[in-house]
């Protein structure tokens, strides 16, 4: 009888372990991001006609997260990546006090995540890599679970050590200070985030139409399929009568 009980316990324990492992795999899968495989042959890094696309944003801004997760991701889901130099600048509406402390619009969690995302950009300079991590973090924010952001390491196969080192040794602060200086020198100054710039042209309220501006700015001979498949209407003044929801500087906490 004892041997039967031991066998039963073993089977039960093994079953529970298998169920736990499956649940963890499903959880990781639900938080991962799947991009098309981009080989060295597909990625045209030598294209001299690439369009510069800069996105000035801040973490925990719901409108920035929505733009990154539901709009900017299209760069990676099409062949636009071959004609775009994408730069992400995580600083946004943060302010620096005279004592060098920061005032982040969405509290201390935003400050910490902005530094973390700056460290990710520095640690994984290929845009496909750091965008995948940032996408994961911002997606969790849209799901109201941003505290789970460390799961984005394992879910996407990243080693957290370079980010931890960057965050703790002061490099993250230096990276953010450089982003702060860059954001402060924008001309015209940003009025909200996300603030999207295509080849030094600020799209202002028309930022969700960024693909149209990229296609219009591209001067290469081979037109991307993404620019052929859709007709884009460009507002030459980059201002629409209907203003998208954005995080404005007037909302910064004091």
């Amino acid at each position: 009888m004892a041997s039967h009980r031991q066998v039963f316990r073993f089977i039960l324990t093994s079953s529970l372990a298998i169920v736990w492992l499956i649940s963890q795999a499903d959880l990781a899968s639900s938080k991962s991001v799947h991009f098309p495989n981009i080989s060295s042959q597909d990625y045209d890094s030598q294209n001299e006609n690439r369009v510069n696309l800069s996105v000035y944003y801040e973490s925990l801004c719901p409108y920035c997260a929505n733009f990154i997760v539901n709009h900017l991701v299209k760069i990676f889901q099409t062949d636009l990546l071959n004609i775009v130099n994408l730069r992400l600048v995580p600083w946004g509406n943060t302010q620096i006090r005279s004592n060098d402390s920061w005032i982040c619009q969405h509290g201390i969690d935003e400050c910490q995540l902005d530094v973390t995302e700056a460290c990710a950009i520095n640690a994984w300079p290929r845009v496909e890599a750091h965008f995948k991590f940032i996408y994961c973090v911002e997606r969790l924010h849209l799901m109201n679970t941003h505290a789970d952001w460390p799961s984005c390491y394992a879910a996407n196969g990243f080693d957290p050590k370079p980010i931890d080192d960057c965050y703790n040794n002061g490099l993250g602060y230096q990276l953010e200070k450089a982003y702060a200086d860059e954001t402060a020198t924008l001309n015209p100054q940003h009025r909200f985030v996300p603030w999207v710039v295509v080849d030094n042209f600020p799209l202002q309220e028309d930022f969700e139409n960024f693909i149209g501006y990229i296609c219009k700015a591209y001067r290469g001979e081979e037109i991307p399929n993404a620019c052929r498949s859709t007709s884009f209407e460009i507002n030459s003044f980059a201002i629409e009568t209907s203003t998208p929801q954005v995080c404005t500087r007037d909302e910064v906490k004091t």
Side-chain angles (χ1 to χ4, degrees):
M1 291 295 294
S3 61
H4 288 303
R5 283 198 294 270
Q6 290 174 347
V7 170
F8 177 75
R9 283 199 199 98
F10 174 78
I11 294 174
L12 178 60
T13 303
S14 300
S15 300
L16 291 174
I18 292 171
V19 170
W20 182 85
L21 288 171
I22 292 174
S23 69
Q24 293 301 302
D26 290 341
L27 178 62
S29 175
S30 69
K31 293 178 180 177
S32 64
V33 184
H34 301 286
F35 293 104
N37 291 326
I38 302 172
S39 68
S40 58
Q41 293 179 346
D42 296 329
Y43 187 82
D44 185 8
S45 61
Q46 303 303 316
N47 189 343
E48 296 179 354
N49 296 297
R50 298 172 78 86
V51 178
N52 293 316
L53 172 64
S54 299
V55 179
Y56 297 84
Y57 75 102
E58 62 196 19
S59 65
L60 301 190
C61 164
Y63 314 117
C64 296
N66 177 65
F67 177 70
I68 290 171
V69 172
N70 296 316
H71 298 276
L72 192 60
V73 70
K74 295 174 184 176
I75 293 288
F76 301 87
Q77 296 171 334
T78 65
D79 55 351
L80 286 172
L81 187 61
N82 286 327
I83 69 165
V84 171
N85 286 320
L86 173 61
R87 291 186 67 248
L88 296 169
V89 183
W91 178 259
N93 295 323
T94 303
Q95 297 179 356
I96 302 178
R97 286 177 169 171
S98 58
N99 62 357
D100 282 341
S101 63
W102 297 356
I103 307 174
C104 291
Q105 193 165 3
H106 304 93
I108 190 170
D109 283 0
E110 180 201 323
C111 292
Q112 294 173 342
L113 282 175
D114 282 346
V115 174
T116 298
E117 294 185 5
C119 287
I121 294 169
N122 181 75
W124 307 310
R126 279 188 66 88
V127 66
E128 309 96 295
H130 63 250
F131 184 85
K132 184 180 292 189
F133 178 81
I134 292 171
Y135 176 102
C136 180
V137 174
E138 298 303 323
R139 179 171 174 263
L140 290 177
H141 173 50
L142 291 181
M143 297 166 62
N144 295 318
T145 57
H146 79 264
D148 293 335
W149 71 264
S151 67
C152 292
Y153 291 125
N156 293 287
F158 291 123
D159 179 5
K161 187 177 186 307
I163 309 303
D164 292 341
D165 291 345
C166 172
Y167 189 96
N168 294 320
N169 65 17
L171 176 58
Y173 174 84
Q174 296 174 19
L175 294 170
E176 279 292 89
K177 185 61 171 61
Y179 285 147
D181 293 342
E182 178 182 343
T183 303
T185 59
L186 285 170
N187 185 20
Q189 291 186 349
H190 82 285
R191 295 180 288 107
F192 51 80
V193 287
W195 189 258
V196 181
V197 179
V198 174
D199 274 356
N200 296 319
F201 180 74
L203 307 191
Q204 301 191 52
E205 283 85 351
D206 204 22
F207 64 89
E208 290 185 353
N209 196 21
F210 71 101
I211 294 178
Y213 289 91
I214 291 171
C215 294
K216 182 179 180 181
Y218 184 58
R219 295 292 179 264
E221 294 182 0
E222 187 174 348
I223 305 301
N225 292 329
C227 295
R228 296 176 185 273
S229 59
T230 308
S231 60
F232 300 99
E233 295 184 1
I234 304 298
N235 185 330
S236 61
F237 295 100
I239 297 178
E240 297 177 338
T241 53
S242 175
T243 303
Q245 292 180 310
V246 292
C247 290
T248 64
R249 295 196 296 183
D250 293 339
E251 297 171 350
V252 175
K253 296 179 180 179
T254 56

